[in-house]
Amino acid sequence: MKVEELNVDEIIGRVGKILSEEDKKKGILIYSFQKIQEEFGYLPEDVLKTLSQKLSMPLAEIYSVASFYKQFHFSPRGRKVVRVCTGTACHVRGAKDVLNSLESEFGIKEGETTEDLELTLETVGCVGCCGLAPVATVNEEVIGDIGRKKLKSLIKLIKEDQNEQQT
Ligand code: FES
């Protein structure tokens, strides 16, 4: 059957009947998580409790679904999210040194956020730029070939942005 011949309304109708109420709620959950995270930057517990009441779904189940997806977070995130790639190529070319330097410079460990909510530091698997290893991303921007000199300018860049926010 060609795509043009598909009767979308009929298919949705059939799918709607096949799905249980539970399945429909789970479908709504992901969309709700996305919207909540868009607004708060993470999934606050009190908002998830409200969602749990609205959907008549146990809070534990809501957490279970949300924690399955790496994209959802349960604590506030920094304005800037720095991810150090620890894939094989980056590991071999000094990712650990990059991570250690950032940890000691900003006084946080991997997975943590600074108290002023300026920076969240994470690690990530290969980001597909192995030729530029070692690589880190700052929000959506990829920064590669992080040698000693570039690391210093990366740290300076993060701090400069922090200062701009405070003035
Ligand atoms: S291993 Fe780091 S970009 Fe591929």
Side-chain angles (χ1 to χ4, degrees):
M1 180 185 268
K2 290 181 182 169
V3 175
E4 303 88 75
E5 294 169 7
L6 290 174
N7 184 336
V8 177
D9 286 340
E10 188 193 273
I11 290 169
I12 288 174
R14 223 185 300 148
V15 170
K17 283 178 195 155
I18 293 167
L19 292 176
S20 68
E21 281 307 306
E22 208 59 25
D23 292 334
K24 287 176 192 169
K25 282 180 186 174
K26 281 186 180 163
I28 293 169
L29 266 188
I30 306 302
Y31 179 76
S32 306
F33 294 155
Q34 286 167 340
K35 288 290 162 195
I36 293 167
Q37 193 157 284
E38 251 174 55
E39 189 172 340
F40 298 95
Y42 73 110
L43 304 178
E45 188 179 347
D46 55 340
V47 179
L48 292 185
K49 278 181 182 166
T50 306
L51 187 64
S52 155
Q53 287 161 3
K54 273 223 172 272
L55 296 178
S56 306
M57 191 181 256
L59 188 59
E61 197 174 337
I62 287 187
Y63 271 105
S64 163
V65 175
S67 56
F68 180 80
Y69 299 93
K70 227 180 163 192
Q71 72 186 94
F72 298 122
H73 308 284
F74 302 102
S75 55
R77 315 247 305 146
R79 192 177 60 80
K80 207 161 251 160
V81 179
V82 175
R83 294 190 179 98
V84 177
C85 177
T86 54
T88 306
C90 290
H91 174 75
V92 169
R93 300 201 63 189
K96 191 76 185 155
D97 293 339
V98 174
L99 181 63
N100 289 344
S101 300
L102 292 176
E103 282 179 339
S104 68
E105 187 66 39
F106 293 98
I108 53 172
K109 291 283 179 198
E110 174 206 347
E112 293 180 348
T113 298
T114 54
E115 269 182 29
D116 60 5
L117 297 182
E118 284 297 331
L119 175 69
T120 295
L121 183 61
E122 297 178 336
T123 56
V124 66
C126 180
V127 294
C129 309
C130 307
L132 299 174
V135 169
T137 60
V138 179
N139 292 345
E140 302 309 317
E141 188 184 351
V142 174
I143 296 176
D145 206 11
I146 308 174
R148 196 174 287 269
K149 200 170 167 191
K150 210 159 183 184
L151 179 64
K152 275 187 184 169
S153 60
L154 170 65
I155 290 170
K156 195 170 159 213
L157 178 78
I158 295 168
K159 287 186 172 178
E160 276 172 3
D161 281 0
Q162 285 176 337
N163 292 339
E164 277 172 25
Q165 288 293 310
Q166 288 160 4
T167 54

